[in-house]
């Protein structure tokens, strides 16, 4: 417990002036209502909260781990790629994966579902999206193999591994929950990064 408290304090001390990040602690022995509202059953429990959305922090609690997730949450959940493929942009470090979504101009519902799923998982995964005109070229740059795949598609990219791909009508029929479940199959870093073990759309607002 002291180590977690120290790491959180160090991150808070190093936040830049004007930062919109708030780090706080709650004593569940005295502030029982807050802990009950959040469903806290064990100690220590750490939550990441943004607006009305929250994720339980169950991974690395080092100073660097906390800083990494804060940086992730202040970026857009999806990086939109340009027209000129560059393979190095898609290659994650060894032991990690990234996901490439190839858009199709006519598939607005699946586009929204993908964005929602990416928003839920951005603290543990890396997401890219490419337009229908360049999507296949980006997939080829990232994997070297695009046989039989055309937009819309969602591909899991991992160094040294063949891509896992869902595409066409199978992807169009997927909801945000289904896309999230598909992505979670490939979470290779549960011991190193934050894991969203619970998604709560009805979470209480952040407290200070």
């Amino acid at each position: 417990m002291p180590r977690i408290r120290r790491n959180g304090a160090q991150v808070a001390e190093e936040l830049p002036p004007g930062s919109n990040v708030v780090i706080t602690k709650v004593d569940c022995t005295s502030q029982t209502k807050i802990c009950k509202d959040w469903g806290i059953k064990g100690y220590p429990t750490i939550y990441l909260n943004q607006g009305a959305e929250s994720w339980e922090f169950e991974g690395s609690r080092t100073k660097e781990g906390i800083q990494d997730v804060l940086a992730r949450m202040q970026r857009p959940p999806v990086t939109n790629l340009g027209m000129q493929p560059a393979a190095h942009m898609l290659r994650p470090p060894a032991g990690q994966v990234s996901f490439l979504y190839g858009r199709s101009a006519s598939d607005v519902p699946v586009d929204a579902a993908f964005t929602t799923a990416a928003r839920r998982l951005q603290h543990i995964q890396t997401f890219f999206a490419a337009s229908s005109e360049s999507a296949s070229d980006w997939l080829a740059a990232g994997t070297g193999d695009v046989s039989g795949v055309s937009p819309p598609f969602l591909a899991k990219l991992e160094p040294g591994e063949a891509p896992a791909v869902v595409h066409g009508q199978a992807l169009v029929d997927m909801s945000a929950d289904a896309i999230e479940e598909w992505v979670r199959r490939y979470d290779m870093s549960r011991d190193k990064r934050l894991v969203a073990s619970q998604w709560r759309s009805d979470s209480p607002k952040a407290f200070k």
Side-chain angles (χ1 to χ4, degrees):
M1 179 75 79
R3 181 179 299 176
I4 296 172
R5 186 180 299 121
R6 181 175 65 251
N7 292 340
Q10 290 176 345
V11 172
E13 289 173 359
E14 295 180 15
L15 291 172
S19 172
N20 61 356
V21 174
V22 176
I23 297 177
T24 188
K25 62 181 179 180
V26 174
D27 182 351
C28 285
T29 62
S30 59
Q31 296 171 294
T32 56
K33 185 178 185 307
I34 291 176
C35 296
K36 182 178 179 180
D37 289 344
W38 282 75
I40 295 174
K41 296 180 172 59
Y43 312 105
T45 297
I46 303 174
Y47 274 96
L48 171 70
N49 175 250
Q50 192 171 61
E53 303 166 353
S54 69
W55 303 260
E56 187 174 356
F57 189 139
E58 293 187 348
S60 171
R61 297 175 178 184
T62 63
K63 173 185 171 183
E64 293 74 19
I66 297 171
Q67 290 174 325
D68 175 69
V69 78
L70 293 180
R72 282 175 169 272
M73 295 307 295
Q74 293 183 83
R75 298 193 295 261
V78 180
T79 299
N80 289 301
L81 302 170
M83 298 298 292
Q84 298 298 322
H88 69 277
M89 290 185 61
L90 299 177
R91 291 175 183 160
Q96 297 182 22
V97 300
S98 61
F99 295 87
L100 172 64
Y101 170 54
R103 290 190 172 96
S104 176
S106 60
D107 294 318
V108 175
V110 70
D111 188 86
F114 167 75
T115 301
T116 298
R119 174 70 184 85
R120 296 175 180 178
L121 298 173
Q122 73 179 97
H123 59 301
I124 55 172
Q125 299 291 4
T126 301
F127 297 92
F128 300 95
S131 68
S132 57
E133 294 84 359
S134 64
S136 294
D137 291 338
W138 275 103
L139 183 59
T143 68
D145 181 11
V146 295
S147 56
V149 178
S150 59
F153 64 76
L154 179 59
K156 181 270 296 184
L157 308 178
E158 182 179 358
E161 299 288 337
V165 181
V166 57
H167 64 104
Q169 195 61 44
L171 178 59
V172 172
D173 291 341
M174 293 174 75
S175 65
D177 289 344
I179 292 174
E180 179 182 355
E181 182 179 356
W182 188 87
V183 169
R184 284 185 182 280
R185 298 177 190 174
Y186 305 105
D187 182 4
M188 307 297 291
S189 316
R190 294 178 187 274
D191 60 330
K192 298 179 181 179
R193 299 162 72 179
L194 299 182
V195 177
S197 63
Q198 182 181 22
W199 170 255
R200 301 174 59 192
S201 60
D202 58 345
S203 302
K205 292 184 178 180
F207 47 86
K208 298 183 179 181

